[in-house]
Amino acid sequence: MDSPLPLHVCHVNNLSVIINRLHALLHCIAIGFLIYYRASYLLQETRAIPIILWLLVFASELLLSFIWLLGRAYLWRPVSRTVFPERLPEDDKLPAIDVFICTADPEKEPAIGVMNTVLSAMALDYPVDKLHVYLSDDGGSPITLHGMREACRFAKWWLPFCRRYGIKTICPQAYFSEADSDDYFGDSEFMVEKKKIKEKYEMFEEHVTKAVEDGEYGNSQNHSTIIEIIQETFGESETIRQADLVEMPLLVYVSREKRPEHLHHFKAGALNVLLRVSGVISNSPYILGLDCDMYCNDPTSARQAMCFHLDPKISSSLAFVQFPQKFHNINKYDIYDGRFRSAYCVQWQGMDGLKGPVLSGTGYYIKRESLYADFTHTELKDTFGKSNVLINSLHQSYKQNNANGENFSNVLQEETGVLASCSYEHQTKWGEEVGILYQSVSEDLFTGFILHCKGWTSTYLTPFRPQFLGTSTTNLNDLLIQGTRWGSGLTDVGLSRFCPLLYGPSRMSLLQSMCYGELSFFPLLYCLPLWCLATLPQLCLLNGISLYPEVSSPSFIVFSFIFISAICKHLQEVISTGGSIYAWRNEQRIWMIKSVTAHFYGSMDTILKLLGLRKASFLPTNKVLDKEQVKRYEMGQFDFQTSSMFLVPMVSLMILNMAALLCGFIRIIAVGNWDKLFPQLLLSLYILIINFAIVEGMIVRKDKGRISPSAILLSSVFFMIFLFFGSIILM
């Protein structure tokens, strides 16, 4: 008997593997020569350069070499995958799915956008009786609850329309904004139906917008539990075709109890409440996790994910299937590197060739079982809490749930209220060994790491059509706030007892541990060296001190090779993944900017928390669009309307490098020792070319998005202070 056709296949790009490993070998050899050059200087009896400067630059080069070495694990065996959803079993044999959507702040996360995400999830191409959509509203906002009721009312029209005409763009806001959204050109019935549905959507949008304008946001830190199964029936004046009278997915609103005196653990805590509440309502074996602004862009993602989860060869150990995060509002310039190309086109594919990618916070289908630890019967209440209904759900496979508003309030309202209370997790293992873990504000990375340590695997799928689309940051302020939060969360993991480089190797492959190590340490291990290399060589250049070999020295070839090798490899990765030289420049610039600002502050935040000087915090990324900022973004102009804590480091470094470049040229012309100072001159020139947008914002631009004169003045003061004390040390 012939074996069944595979549900998916894995492709290894052997040419990329050869190129990556050959480059790594040559680069490692060059780093060895660099270390020899730096170390041999320390053994000399007489030194022309202050030893402290040499050691700091040497330490920076070692840290950059170390983080580069960790990153080679991504490139060891990158793979890509293809799925065949048409080979899946019949609908009645597919497993059920719960969809978890999280929102926290109705002011920063507009209700209309959240409701569009909810509607897109309800419209997935999946058996309607096996799809359940849960929205966690951590803000406890009446506006969001009203929006859910309005979304349910509109879904009675939107879902049948999508199914009847095979609509691919299942987010209504995105569908009606597309110029070529008509799949049935020339079909008069379709055009009439589309016009009617568009009118219904505009009415829905108007109702939600009015509720936002007239309603109250609520107290996000102090409110009681609200859990409601959302239902809607048609009024007498509304008509709908009998063929469209189909059951809708279960739609549930969950707002957990929050009190100021209780820890709520941010998004991770909200997800764990959804895990418990859904466990006693639908208890689906698989969960789709979505951010509130990351709508479903294609109806087939669930079936594509099931091509892995239902494969008997890998399903027993497979924890989750991760899709890339992609964004609908990124323009051709992408000045803020909003595509995260390096992560989603290189790193995640590289990890997929090992044991699987990290859990990325949104766009993943995870097995519920993987979030539950194995405990004996006597330990269950100490682990999961005292809810017998929840404990019983651990041993029950999914069964069709006929919960509606009436029987839900009679049977499950009290139980789910207890499960969503702020005291339920006390003296349990929730967040420690069960559910989404609380060790870091980057709960996704840490939870995925522990799952891999326990022997679970994951896969990564990047279909041609994006399965999920979100809203990317389009201004510098939001980018750096987001980067600070991520930097803090990642460093939390690296500096904890679960450090991937120490905790991981005995529980997973060395290469996988290196990948997690690079993710956990790159904010810290990039910010420190970049601060040194953006200041110390320039300070020495201003004082006529050479930190690098002369151009005529053979050792100069080593430094040149490492510099050119790193740049060319990055450029090769960008070009091979569909980018351009402009994308390469943008990535270099954002890497430098984030390293000396967001990653520096994020790393310091983690260190202060470890010292007990600061509490953990979480600031949602702003999803409200400012028209002027969007206009500048569309023009490819940086918007420098941000805090001085971000501006001053950037501007101070630009002033320092401009001064070093100018004085370096003058010194070369006057003294003639160009071969000694040329490497430092080249370094300052490179930094200024890559970051010319900052220089432009300081000197050229006069619009509202320029760098303010007060920030330039403050930066100049810091520059003078650094120059004064630096010169004293050199003397």
Side-chain angles (χ1 to χ4, degrees):
M1 182 178 178
D2 294 337
S3 59
L5 293 172
L7 293 173
H8 63 91
V9 293
C10 179
H11 315 277
V12 180
N13 190 330
N14 291 317
L15 179 60
S16 293
V17 169
I18 293 171
I19 293 173
N20 294 339
R21 295 183 185 182
L22 181 61
H23 171 263
L25 175 63
L26 296 175
H27 202 85
C28 279
I29 293 172
I31 289 174
F33 281 113
L34 181 149
I35 294 172
Y36 173 79
Y37 172 81
R38 290 294 188 195
S40 61
Y41 179 83
L42 300 176
L43 301 177
Q44 296 177 11
E45 294 183 0
T46 57
R47 306 183 187 95
I49 304 170
I51 190 66
I52 185 65
L53 291 178
W54 192 271
L55 287 175
L56 286 173
V57 172
F58 188 19
S60 299
E61 291 164 348
L62 287 177
L63 288 176
L64 287 177
S65 299
F66 178 66
I67 198 71
W68 172 86
L69 182 62
L70 292 180
R72 295 316 91 194
Y74 297 121
L75 306 177
W76 191 252
R77 187 178 176 269
V79 301
S80 58
R81 299 180 185 272
T82 304
V83 294
F84 307 100
E86 67 276 6
R87 299 175 183 173
L88 286 170
E90 298 298 321
D91 285 1
D92 60 344
K93 296 181 181 178
L94 293 176
I97 295 174
D98 290 340
V99 182
F100 291 176
I101 302 169
C102 293
T103 184
D105 188 338
E107 293 188 72
K108 292 188 175 182
E109 298 165 340
I112 192 65
V114 176
M115 295 310 121
N116 269 274
T117 300
V118 170
L119 287 162
S120 70
M122 295 176 72
L124 285 170
D125 178 20
Y126 208 72
V128 67
D129 60 325
K130 296 185 177 183
L131 189 63
H132 319 94
V133 180
Y134 294 80
L135 177 70
S136 168
D137 176 22
D138 245 16
S141 172
I143 292 172
T144 307
L145 178 56
H146 177 78
M148 283 283 279
R149 293 167 180 160
E150 292 292 340
C152 183
R153 183 176 292 114
F154 173 67
K156 290 283 189 179
W157 299 92
W158 175 245
L159 301 189
F161 174 72
C162 291
R163 292 170 188 146
R164 187 184 322 128
Y165 295 107
I167 303 300
K168 289 185 178 180
T169 303
I170 53 177
C171 171
Q173 188 176 51
Y175 177 76
F176 290 120
S177 64
E178 288 181 351
D180 56 346
S181 61
D182 298 334
D183 299 329
Y184 284 75
F185 294 109
D187 188 326
S188 58
E189 181 187 4
F190 166 76
M191 297 305 296
V192 170
E193 191 75 8
K194 179 186 174 183
K195 183 179 179 181
K196 181 176 72 173
I197 300 301
K198 187 174 183 180
E199 291 173 354
K200 295 286 183 183
Y201 175 73
E202 289 171 350
M203 189 182 302
F204 153 71
E205 201 172 40
E206 182 182 336
H207 289 168
V208 174
T209 303
K210 188 176 187 300
V212 172
E213 293 172 351
D214 300 341
E216 296 182 2
Y217 286 108
N219 190 332
S220 62
Q221 299 301 317
N222 190 5
H223 57 81
S224 300
T225 299
I226 302 174
I227 299 177
E228 181 177 322
I229 290 185
I230 309 297
Q231 291 183 308
E232 183 57 41
T233 56
F234 286 91
E236 294 181 0
S237 62
E238 295 179 296
T239 60
I240 190 168
R241 292 180 4 171
Q242 186 66 31
D244 294 333
L245 289 174
V246 293
E247 185 183 359
M248 289 206 310
L250 184 70
L251 184 60
V252 185
Y253 172 88
V254 178
S255 179
R256 59 174 170 152
E257 181 188 17
K258 292 177 75 175
R259 302 300 178 196
E261 64 272 16
H262 288 273
L263 292 175
H264 53 81
H265 301 293
F266 315 114
K267 182 181 176 182
L271 286 170
N272 281 338
V273 169
L274 288 183
L275 198 60
R276 295 194 294 271
V277 170
S278 66
V280 301
I281 296 178
S282 52
N283 199 30
S284 300
Y286 296 99
I287 295 165
L288 165 61
L290 292 175
D291 283 343
C292 64
D293 67 320
M294 186 68 63
Y295 64 81
C296 302
N297 185 58
D298 187 277
T300 65
S301 67
R303 294 181 183 272
Q304 293 189 48
M306 288 305 121
C307 289
F308 298 102
H309 279 302
L310 299 184
D311 183 349
K313 295 180 180 178
I314 65 171
S315 61
S316 61
S317 63
L318 181 64
F320 60 90
V321 177
Q322 180 68 57
F323 290 88
Q325 294 186 38
K326 297 192 176 181
F327 306 94
H328 63 84
N329 64 328
I330 294 177
N331 66 4
K332 62 180 181 179
Y333 302 108
D334 191 19
I335 55 175
Y336 301 119
D337 187 26
R339 289 188 174 88
F340 298 107
R341 182 210 57 83
S342 179
Y344 296 118
C345 296
V346 178
Q347 295 176 343
W348 275 214
Q349 287 190 340
M351 294 184 76
D352 197 19
L354 302 173
K355 206 175 181 180
V358 301
L359 194 64
S360 302
T362 184
Y364 59 84
Y365 284 85
I366 192 168
K367 186 182 295 180
R368 183 184 290 266
E369 177 190 350
S370 69
L371 297 173
Y372 294 157
D374 293 325
F375 292 93
T376 64
H377 183 73
T378 57
E379 296 176 311
L380 286 176
K381 288 197 174 183
D382 292 335
T383 303
F384 293 94
K386 297 181 179 180
S387 170
N388 291 323
V389 179
L390 176 63
I391 290 174
N392 290 337
S393 74
L394 304 177
H395 307 292
Q396 296 173 354
S397 59
Y398 165 78
K399 294 181 180 180
Q400 170 64 40
N401 192 295
N402 294 314
N404 56 42
E406 182 179 353
N407 68 37
F408 173 74
S409 61
N410 294 334
V411 179
L412 295 175
Q413 183 74 55
E414 184 177 350
E415 190 68 31
T416 54
V418 171
L419 292 170
S421 66
C422 55
S423 60
Y424 182 81
E425 293 183 355
H426 291 178
Q427 297 181 335
T428 70
K429 300 294 178 62
W430 283 99
E432 297 178 8
E433 298 178 41
V434 175
I436 305 297
L437 306 181
Y438 297 154
Q439 176 70 30
S440 165
V441 292
S442 292
E443 74 292 326
D444 46 1
L445 172 92
F446 183 63
T447 301
F449 171 64
I450 295 300
L451 287 175
H452 282 133
C453 286
K454 290 180 177 179
W456 292 97
T457 62
S458 59
T459 59
Y460 184 59
L461 185 62
T462 55
F464 177 77
R465 179 180 172 88
Q467 298 300 292
F468 306 98
L469 285 176
T471 304
S472 180
T473 53
T474 55
N475 65 77
L476 189 63
N477 185 62
D478 289 343
L479 175 79
L480 297 180
I481 289 174
Q482 182 188 67
T484 302
R485 186 180 74 234
W486 288 355
S488 176
L490 295 173
T491 312
D492 278 342
V493 179
L495 297 183
S496 72
R497 65 187 181 91
F498 297 100
C499 170
L501 298 179
L502 301 176
Y503 188 84
S506 62
R507 297 168 174 85
M508 60 174 66
S509 71
L510 177 62
L511 290 173
Q512 190 82 358
S513 297
M514 289 170 64
C515 290
Y516 274 107
E518 198 275 346
L519 282 170
S520 301
F521 282 111
F522 84 83
L524 179 63
L525 296 189
Y526 274 138
C527 74
L528 298 178
L530 261 65
W531 263 106
C532 284
L533 296 178
T535 55
L536 299 183
Q538 292 75 6
L539 180 64
C540 291
L541 181 59
L542 287 167
N543 289 273
I545 299 173
S546 173
L547 281 175
Y548 296 96
E550 297 178 5
V551 174
S552 57
S553 169
S555 297
F556 177 76
I557 299 174
V558 173
F559 284 83
S560 300
F561 177 84
I562 292 174
F563 181 73
I564 295 171
S565 167
I567 288 176
C568 289
K569 187 66 178 76
H570 182 206
L571 181 60
Q572 178 263 325
E573 289 176 7
V574 171
I575 299 297
S576 65
T577 52
S580 64
I581 193 168
Y582 299 104
W584 168 84
R585 180 201 60 187
N586 289 339
E587 289 187 16
Q588 288 275 311
R589 177 172 55 210
I590 292 300
W591 168 63
M592 294 181 187
I593 290 174
K594 281 186 174 180
S595 293
V596 300
T597 56
H599 293 161
F600 175 76
Y601 292 126
S603 300
M604 293 304 102
D605 181 72
T606 295
I607 293 172
L608 291 175
K609 284 186 290 186
L610 288 174
L611 296 175
L613 301 176
R614 181 176 170 82
K615 292 183 178 180
S617 60
F618 181 90
L619 186 64
T621 305
N622 186 21
K623 306 298 191 307
V624 180
L625 299 179
D626 180 276
K627 291 183 179 179
E628 287 189 16
Q629 291 179 336
V630 170
K631 184 178 179 180
R632 280 189 283 272
Y633 174 75
E634 292 298 330
M635 294 169 60
Q637 285 188 342
F638 265 69
D639 190 313
F640 291 104
Q641 296 182 89
T642 185
S643 168
S644 294
M645 66 178 284
F646 293 130
L647 282 179
V648 170
M650 292 189 294
V651 177
S652 298
L653 292 177
M654 290 303 103
I655 295 173
L656 175 60
N657 278 270
M658 285 190 288
L661 185 66
L662 179 62
C663 291
F665 271 121
I666 294 174
R667 186 180 294 276
I668 286 174
I669 294 171
V671 181
N673 57 345
W674 71 271
D675 61 333
K676 289 184 178 181
L677 300 179
F678 179 75
Q680 286 150 261
L681 205 67
L682 183 64
L683 179 60
S684 288
L685 180 62
Y686 180 74
I687 290 172
L688 291 171
I689 289 174
I690 292 296
N691 295 282
F692 180 73
I694 302 176
V695 178
E696 185 182 42
M698 295 166 54
I699 301 173
V700 180
R701 288 172 54 184
K702 304 300 179 184
D703 59 278
K704 190 177 178 181
R706 75 187 189 282
I707 297 174
S708 64
S710 60
I712 297 173
L713 179 61
L714 184 58
S715 301
S716 301
V717 172
F718 275 98
F719 161 71
M720 296 300 295
I721 293 172
F722 173 77
L723 192 61
F724 175 74
F725 285 104
S727 299
I728 290 176
I729 293 172
L730 291 178
M731 290 171 60

